[in-house]
């Protein structure tokens, strides 16, 4: 029986194993394996190559990239915008003027979405007031026609 010294184990946190498999990337990035595959198809992530066994190998920086993408999405960036941002960072580094322009564009899009939601909310309020005045039968009739 061979007992391996744990200091020599080329596991996930080892400096010997510089590449990570997709499952490790997903776990460390706190996303699903399918998300990693999807991000790779979109061009957000790039495998460094393949192992002798055919597994995609990712650098540790891939985890940080996922940790950048997820909060950016919650701030309103679409994935196609993220592809553009990350490709620009990869090729040109961080350009603050472009970053400002991209953030401004996202803010404008979010403002437009908020305005659209306010308009829809106002229309719903008008409909609710009408139905409260006309009674439930009118509401049922409208819902039936919509469904």
């Amino acid at each position: 029986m061979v007992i391996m010294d744990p200091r020599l184990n080329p596991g996930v946190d080892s400096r010997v194993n510089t590449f990570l498999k997709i499952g490790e990337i997903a776990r460390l990035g706190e996303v699903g394996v399918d998300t990693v595959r999807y991000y790779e198809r979109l061009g957000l992530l790039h495998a460094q190559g393949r192992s002798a066994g055919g597994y995609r190998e990712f650098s540790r920086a891939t985890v940080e990239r996922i940790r950048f993408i997820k909060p950016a999405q919650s701030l309103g960036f679409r994935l196609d915008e993220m592809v553009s941002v990350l490709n620009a960072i990869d090729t040109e580094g961080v350009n603050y003027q472009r970053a400002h322009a991209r953030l401004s564009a996202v803010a404008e899009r979010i403002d437009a979405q908020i305005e659209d939601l306010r308009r829809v909310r106002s229309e719903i309020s008008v409909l609710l007031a009408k139905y409260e005045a006309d009674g439930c039968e009118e509401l049922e009739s409208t819902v039936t026609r919509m469904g």
Side-chain angles (χ1 to χ4, degrees):
M1 179 166 140
V2 176
I3 298 177
M4 190 171 187
D5 184 343
R7 292 174 293 164
L8 300 177
N9 181 6
V12 173
D13 296 323
S14 169
R15 293 175 196 260
V16 175
N17 183 8
T18 58
F19 294 109
L20 303 173
K21 292 179 185 171
I22 195 168
E24 296 164 322
I25 290 294
R27 182 178 56 79
L28 294 170
E30 299 179 0
V31 296
V33 169
D34 288 338
T35 299
V36 175
R37 287 186 184 117
Y38 181 62
Y39 285 0
E40 186 180 15
R41 278 194 309 272
L42 292 177
L44 290 163
L45 305 177
H46 307 286
Q48 301 300 307
R50 293 203 177 255
S51 69
Y55 294 102
R56 290 197 268 332
E57 295 180 318
F58 296 89
S59 72
R60 292 184 174 283
T62 305
V63 175
E64 294 309 313
R65 206 163 169 111
I66 292 169
R67 290 180 182 163
F68 175 77
I69 294 166
K70 297 307 287 179
Q73 278 186 284
S74 69
L75 291 174
F77 277 94
R78 296 184 317 245
L79 290 176
D80 62 326
E81 291 172 318
M82 291 304 306
V83 170
S84 173
V85 168
L86 291 171
N87 285 339
I89 289 170
D90 290 345
T91 58
E92 305 163 16
V94 177
N95 180 304
Y96 294 100
Q97 288 80 17
R98 284 195 202 115
H100 184 274
R102 285 187 175 111
L103 285 172
S104 293
V106 170
E108 288 173 14
R109 189 181 70 247
I110 291 170
D111 288 343
Q113 289 172 332
I114 290 170
E115 191 56 41
D116 287 345
L117 287 171
R118 284 189 177 131
R119 183 184 46 75
V120 169
R121 177 62 173 106
S122 177
E123 291 172 10
I124 289 172
S125 294
V126 169
L127 285 173
L128 284 172
K130 178 184 177 210
Y131 295 135
E132 287 170 2
D134 293 344
C136 292
E137 293 165 6
E138 180 69 24
L139 178 60
E140 282 182 25
S141 169
T142 301
V143 169
T144 302
R145 284 191 308 260
M146 293 172 70

